[in-house]
Amino acid sequence: MERPVTGLEKIPDGQIMHPMITPQQIQHLIEQGVPGARAEVSGDGHHFEAVIVAAAFSGKSAVERHQMVYRALGERMKQEIHALSMRTLTPDQAA
């Protein structure tokens, strides 16, 4: 009998292994969650690097910009994304 695929599989020590998130999924989440953002994301499934350009970053500190991105990624930052290095720029800074 075939087991149903749930998207979450148990590993021997009883922990749940979450499916790997892709750079494209992270890019989509950022672009949907940060108004007007354009993101370039690379990574290996656990550790990622992102360059994010958004007018919404204007007048914000680096900490505030990163908080905006973390909010866009939500619970995935706690479970699926182990490390995210990011550069957050306004359009003027990116030019």
Side-chain angles (χ1 to χ4, degrees), residues 8-64:
L8 301 176
E9 300 300 326
K10 289 203 175 221
I11 53 177
D13 64 3
Q15 294 180 358
I16 294 177
M17 185 173 87
H18 296 275
M20 272 203 239
I21 191 166
T22 66
Q24 294 80 12
Q25 290 170 311
I26 294 172
Q27 175 183 346
H28 178 75
L29 290 167
I30 293 169
E31 290 179 350
Q32 293 298 306
V34 177
R38 300 308 302 146
E40 291 181 19
V41 182
S42 61
D44 64 6
H46 297 287
H47 302 91
F48 299 92
E49 293 182 7
V51 176
I52 306 146
V53 179
F57 293 150
S58 294
K60 304 256 191 290
S61 70
V63 170
E64 291 170 320

